[in-house]
Amino acid sequence: MKALQSLLSAIIPILFTLLALAAVLRKADIFTAIRNGAKEGLSTAAGIIPSLVALFSVIYMFRASGAMDFFTDILRPAAQWIGIPAECVPILLIRPLSGSGALALGADIIRTHGVNSLIGRTAAVMLGSTETTFYVIAVYFGAADIKKTRHAVPAALVADLAGFCMAAVSTRLLFQFPVT
């Protein structure tokens, strides 16, 4: 086990050494390549920042206005009918917007209900089987300078909904909680 850990910790230095050696043998201008890559990365980041600022503002307003609580109360009966625990409904609303916000909700759910509870396990599987849809669209579409998302948002939200539903069903089946 220690030999494997030593090998794994040496992989990155070995990789950098091999890349530097290959660049020297090919007589490549390493500094210029690194500088150009950094320049391109900074311009990409500058292009993404306005989308991220807008997204984070919307998330803050959504939570601060009470809209999250309002929609949670509306969705709770339908979610319970599908088999999603009522305590996991806020994750349905926040996960497509904010990964860190959803993770904080999930951690709170697990702290309150326990790791081995149906609610805790469902929350964990939901977090692992869904995506931060609007964040991903803001970042990737912003980086590619795509203005019209067309079917990407509805398709991603349907995939998230399928992930939430299947998280609830699979958690009940795999961990042998009774299906209601």
Side-chain angles (χ1 to χ4, degrees):
M1 186 66 173
K2 291 224 182 230
L4 179 62
Q5 287 177 336
S6 297
L7 177 66
L8 290 175
S9 63
I11 285 178
I12 291 183
I14 290 170
L15 183 63
F16 277 132
T17 304
L18 292 174
L19 287 172
L21 184 61
V24 168
L25 292 175
R26 294 178 64 198
K27 297 181 180 168
D29 186 2
I30 301 169
F31 180 75
T32 302
I34 291 172
R35 190 190 62 175
N36 289 342
K39 183 178 177 182
E40 188 175 320
L42 286 174
S43 66
T44 300
I48 293 171
I49 289 173
S51 299
L52 292 178
V53 168
L55 180 64
F56 291 142
S57 298
V58 168
I59 292 167
Y60 178 77
M61 288 187 299
F62 181 70
R63 294 175 84 185
S65 70
M68 186 172 102
D69 296 330
F70 175 75
F71 286 114
T72 297
D73 291 341
I74 289 174
L75 291 175
R76 190 169 277 132
Q80 285 180 303
W81 184 78
I82 293 170
I84 297 171
E87 295 82 359
C88 295
V89 172
I91 293 176
L92 294 165
L93 296 170
I94 289 296
R95 180 66 175 169
L97 298 170
S98 168
S100 58
L103 193 58
L105 285 171
D108 188 49
I109 288 169
I110 290 170
R111 190 177 314 109
T112 303
H113 298 282
V115 176
N116 291 323
S117 67
L118 170 66
I119 295 165
R121 287 182 175 179
T122 302
V125 175
M126 282 180 168
L127 291 170
S129 60
T130 56
E131 186 55 77
T132 53
T133 300
F134 292 104
Y135 176 81
V136 167
I137 288 193
V139 171
Y140 293 125
F141 280 57
D145 200 30
I146 297 172
K147 303 280 189 261
K148 297 179 182 178
T149 59
R150 194 169 164 101
H151 301 297
V153 173
L157 290 175
V158 167
D160 282 340
L161 181 60
F164 290 130
C165 293
M166 289 309 300
V169 170
S170 62
T171 301
R172 286 184 189 275
L173 293 175
L174 292 173
F175 297 109
Q176 299 176 353
F177 287 102
V179 178
T180 56

